[in-house]
Amino acid sequence: MTIPFDAQAGGEAVKVHIPADAAAEFQRRHDAVIRAIRDAGRAQIVLTSTEAIFYLTGATVEPLERPFFLVVDATTGARVLLVPDLERTHVAKAWGTGAQEIRSYREFPAPDGDGWLDALEPLLAAGFAYEPSCPAYIADALQARGGSRADLLRSVRLAKSDYEVRQIAVAADYARRGVVKLLAGTYPGSTVIEGYTTSNTITRAIVGEQDRFDPLATKVTVAAWPAPISAEPHSVPPLDMTLDAGPHVVMALTRVNGYAAECERTFFTHAPTSTEADLFAAMLSARALAYSMIRPGVRGCEIDEAVHQHLRERGISDHQRLHRTGHGFGLSAHEPPWLALGSDDVLAANLLISIEPGIYLEGVGGYRHSDTVLVTETGYRSLTPTPDDLRSLTRSKSTAIQRTKGRLIRRVAGVRN
């Protein structure tokens, strides 16, 4: 079932049909933001980030030098989306809630009197707030007009609705499939580029399987970080780097139509040494400890401290940990709640988190599994169930098909190896 509504774009009504569950979800978000504004004693919130605008309208935008503004008024309950002229019709097709007004300003750089600030200023009410991520040049202009910074969406976005859980579960399943697919094609001496092609496979699956596909709100990265660069999870491994001895990490990071998830596994392409097996077991035991603590009411810092202490007792120094136990998921792959020593976040049902305590040995490699996990009323449910034991994650054999496919991929990619 779809529900139609008319969005006003430059005086013209644009008919939009949205699924009933999505319509109800956007209305829920709108109502929650109105309550948050009022509870903070503010009149309005001015939103500028792409995530905040997507959260309340479903519009995917790319500001560049042309900023977008969503003004939500708690007094009237009205919303005005201010966009560049170029984007007026595009954003009018967004889902959103009800009939939202869309206004526009002249192309940047605009003549005097026709720019974004000229169009925005009449919309502002006394006591308005703007979000902390607002770019400095916009924040300066808003502050000069009586605005002040306030993070009013954090608590609203933190607790996920059943609708959001379903969307993130979709992204999580593609992340799981990415890990399984990459591992199935991995063999001793295979290259990073061979695994990276899994990103295209998963993207094609999303396009073919989902009812809609938003390329601006969808991104897939599936790749293997070989040892020793697996100890540097935020680096970029060379495409011709081979998976030889040591611990490797496959990362599958997905954002599907605006909702993010991840799945990661440490694996080997040669039989692990006894030291490597012990480190793998230490990572697994820290992970099991973190899982055992997941339930509503537990603070994220408590979980991270318990993991730290557990690994210290196994001879793993804080310097070799580097990484917090976990983070939240939603529209972003990294958002509250934080499972970290300095976090005040408290777990609650329907929060989405990662569990990924890691061990990092410089020049040797890293050990980290990661899953997208739903906090439930009684504990948790993993949305990326994938084998995590050492036997399943040792890929020390190869087949003629794997080697032939690898040669073809390297040749097409121009990788000599």
Side-chain angles (χ1 to χ4, degrees):
M1 177 182 178
T2 62
I3 297 177
F5 71 85
D6 294 334
Q8 299 296 323
E12 299 178 1
V14 179
K15 186 71 71 176
V16 182
H17 293 269
I18 68 175
D21 61 342
E25 171 64 15
F26 279 107
Q27 186 65 56
R28 181 197 69 81
R29 296 177 186 180
H30 175 81
D31 295 342
V33 170
I34 292 294
R35 288 193 298 272
I37 299 171
R38 292 173 179 169
D39 290 346
R42 302 301 185 97
Q44 291 176 330
I45 182 71
V46 178
L47 303 170
T48 53
S49 69
T50 56
E51 285 186 3
I53 291 173
F54 180 89
Y55 185 73
L56 288 170
T57 71
T60 51
V61 298
E62 190 68 37
L64 302 174
E65 73 283 359
R66 307 178 181 98
F68 291 72
F69 302 89
L70 179 62
V71 181
V72 183
D73 192 295
T75 303
T76 64
R79 303 186 327 182
V80 178
L81 188 56
L82 178 63
V83 305
D85 273 341
L86 184 67
E87 304 283 351
R88 186 181 60 217
T89 304
H90 160 62
V91 299
K93 297 174 184 177
W95 289 358
T97 176
Q100 61 188 4
E101 184 180 358
I102 299 174
R103 298 189 187 184
S104 63
Y105 62 88
R106 293 280 295 278
E107 172 65 285
F108 178 89
D112 289 345
D114 288 335
W116 60 263
L117 186 55
D118 302 296
L120 178 63
E121 193 165 13
L123 303 177
L124 303 177
F128 74 90
Y130 57 88
E131 58 184 328
S133 62
C134 184
Y137 77 100
I138 295 176
D140 289 345
L142 295 179
Q143 190 173 23
R145 284 152 183 81
S148 58
R149 187 174 63 179
D151 192 356
L152 303 185
L153 262 65
R154 188 184 193 277
S155 61
V156 175
R157 287 180 54 181
L158 186 64
K160 303 301 188 291
S161 67
D162 291 343
Y163 174 90
E164 290 173 295
V165 171
R166 290 194 297 273
Q167 305 310 309
I168 295 169
V170 169
D173 189 58
Y174 284 114
R176 179 196 62 79
R177 289 164 59 177
V179 166
V180 171
K181 180 71 175 176
L182 184 144
L183 289 176
T186 297
Y187 56 93
S190 57
T191 56
V192 170
I193 184 61
E194 293 169 54
Y196 197 83
T197 59
T198 308
S199 302
N200 296 330
T201 301
I202 298 302
T203 300
R204 288 197 300 271
I206 294 170
V207 173
E209 295 169 4
Q210 295 303 303
D211 292 337
R212 67 185 187 92
F213 171 65
D214 187 337
L216 293 181
T218 300
K219 182 179 180 180
V220 175
T221 300
V222 184
W225 268 246
I229 207 170
S230 54
E232 306 169 24
H234 291 174
S235 63
V236 179
L239 297 181
D240 62 351
M241 191 172 181
T242 54
L243 280 73
D244 300 310
H248 318 305
V249 177
V250 51
M251 301 187 194
L253 315 174
T254 56
R255 187 168 185 246
V256 180
N257 292 327
Y259 299 89
E262 71 183 35
C263 182
E264 301 172 1
R265 289 294 183 269
T266 299
F267 68 101
F268 297 86
T269 51
H270 292 264
T273 66
S274 60
T275 298
E276 291 168 344
D278 287 345
L279 288 166
F280 187 93
M283 178 269 290
L284 279 185
S285 64
R287 169 180 161 87
L289 173 61
Y291 270 115
S292 73
M293 297 179 68
I294 299 175
R295 60 185 178 276
V298 174
R299 293 187 299 166
C301 62
E302 293 175 9
I303 297 177
D304 201 37
E305 175 55 38
V307 167
H308 267 287
Q309 184 57 37
H310 178 80
L311 290 176
R312 289 186 195 111
E313 293 170 358
R314 289 175 170 259
I316 307 299
S317 70
D318 289 357
H319 176 70
Q320 292 171 323
R321 270 220 62 208
L322 296 177
H323 198 282
R324 63 196 167 215
T325 297
H327 55 76
F329 294 103
L331 301 185
S332 170
H334 290 86
E335 62 179 51
W338 309 109
L339 277 60
L341 293 178
S343 173
D344 294 325
D345 292 326
V346 178
L347 297 186
N350 268 34
L351 298 191
L352 276 298
I353 59 174
S354 69
I355 292 295
E356 49 180 320
I359 301 171
Y360 303 92
L361 305 178
E362 186 176 353
V364 176
Y367 297 79
R368 186 178 83 225
H369 290 350
S370 180
D371 283 295
T372 300
V373 180
L374 171 67
V375 181
T376 67
E377 294 286 354
T378 57
Y380 69 89
R381 176 166 62 91
S382 174
L383 302 184
T384 48
T386 309
D388 60 2
D389 61 285
L390 187 57
R391 181 178 179 180
S392 298
L393 293 168
T394 300
R395 322 290 295 186
S396 57
K397 297 180 180 180
S398 66
T399 66
I401 292 177
Q402 286 176 322
R403 295 191 298 272
T404 300
K405 184 178 179 181
R407 284 194 296 270
L408 290 173
I409 291 172
R410 295 195 298 273
R411 183 183 303 170
V412 170
V415 171
R416 294 184 178 182
N417 193 294

